[in-house]
Amino acid sequence: MSAEASAKRILVFGWGAAAERVLREVAECRSRGAALKVFCVSHLSQASDCDLSDVCASLEFECTLTDSDSEMLEAASGFAPDLIMSASYRKKLRPEVVGSKKCRILHQERLPVSPEDTSFTIYKKILPVTAACARRVLEIYFASGLPEGEEQTGEGSYHFRRLPFDGVIQAEWTHEQVERFIRAMHFPPFDGAGVCFEGKDGGQRVLVESLDHYLRLKREAAAAGGAA
């Protein structure tokens, strides 16, 4: 059997720096002698700090960028993976991709979260934890194959990646609510909190950097006869 035919085929769905960490862990397995063929699927819009097409090119992995479910499914089924990994992929994987496989827990890493953390700081903290988790799962996979895993305890949940209030500050909110919302909206891949004023910038959403920035925009809109 040729090396190409015997190589493990790993399909990685991902986005941003978390997916890069996983891809680099896969590359480490290859450097230790594992025969691999790797294919990455990501989105057309890439993170400002991490373009997975460039990462894959540097690692000599295949990569496709698409937001089409049909194109994603065609690419995944055509690759015929032995192992599927997902890291910060912006969509829920469809049943046609994962098939009839049971969703079980193979390994977990824990991360302390402080009251001062924001979505952005948590995202940064998650990166090394993501790498550690991927490293351990890959070690198990290449050593003895993946175990049966454990059933999740408690109710399962899936949180859609949608912004509350479409990312727009509401006019009736207090200053405290506005400030908390601005902090909460600082996380990839979203561009942050915004505000819309009637008559100002054609009612377009304007990004807001801080409470002071919001109050200044509000005063300017009021002077121009616009309202939030």
Side-chain angles (χ1 to χ4, degrees), residues 60-223:
E60 299 182 339
F61 293 162
E62 293 182 51
C63 180
T64 187
L65 306 181
T66 180
D67 291 325
S68 166
D69 286 343
S70 60
E71 289 180 4
M72 177 271 288
L73 180 59
E74 182 179 358
S77 59
F79 184 67
D82 298 301
L83 177 66
I84 297 174
M85 306 181 76
S86 179
S88 289
Y89 191 61
R90 317 316 291 178
K91 292 184 178 181
K92 185 177 181 180
L93 294 182
R94 296 175 55 173
E96 297 95 321
V97 175
V98 297
S100 59
K101 298 178 180 65
K102 295 180 179 179
C103 295
R104 295 178 180 270
I105 298 172
L106 302 180
H107 178 70
Q108 295 183 84
E109 295 282 342
R110 297 192 179 277
L111 171 69
V113 178
S114 71
E116 292 75 27
D117 273 321
T118 65
S119 299
F120 184 75
T121 61
I122 291 174
Y123 177 78
K124 290 297 186 183
K125 285 183 175 181
I126 283 174
L127 297 181
V129 176
T130 300
C133 191
R135 186 181 311 124
R136 179 56 183 150
V137 170
L138 288 166
E139 287 173 354
I140 296 171
Y141 178 69
F142 285 107
S144 56
L146 295 179
E148 184 68 16
E150 301 176 0
E151 292 280 1
Q152 176 177 301
T153 57
E155 294 185 4
S157 63
Y158 176 74
H159 300 281
F160 289 93
R161 297 181 183 274
R162 296 171 183 165
L163 287 178
F165 303 98
D166 293 324
V168 176
I169 295 168
Q170 304 299 294
E172 67 275 13
W173 286 352
T174 65
H175 290 175
E176 181 182 2
Q177 288 175 303
V178 171
E179 188 169 34
R180 290 172 61 186
F181 188 76
I182 292 170
R183 289 183 61 203
M185 289 300 99
H186 280 290
F187 67 101
F190 303 113
D191 53 6
V195 64
C196 297
F197 294 106
E198 295 178 8
K200 180 176 174 58
D201 299 315
Q204 295 289 325
R205 178 171 170 267
V206 180
L207 293 180
V208 177
E209 298 174 358
S210 65
L211 177 61
D212 288 341
H213 185 205
Y214 166 73
L215 294 175
R216 178 168 59 80
L217 290 173
K218 191 174 182 178
R219 287 193 298 270
E220 292 174 355

Side-chain angles (χ1 to χ4, degrees), residues 36-55:
L36 300 175
K37 186 172 180 60
V38 183
F39 184 35
C40 175
V41 177
S42 189
H43 304 284
L44 293 174
S45 177
Q46 290 292 287
S48 59
D49 61 342
C50 178
D51 188 324
L52 290 184
S53 61
D54 292 339
V55 173

Side-chain angles (χ1 to χ4, degrees), residues 9-24:
R9 304 173 72 85
I10 299 179
L11 174 60
V12 179
F13 290 93
W15 184 91
E20 178 183 3
R21 295 295 183 100
V22 171
L23 288 166
R24 295 196 181 281

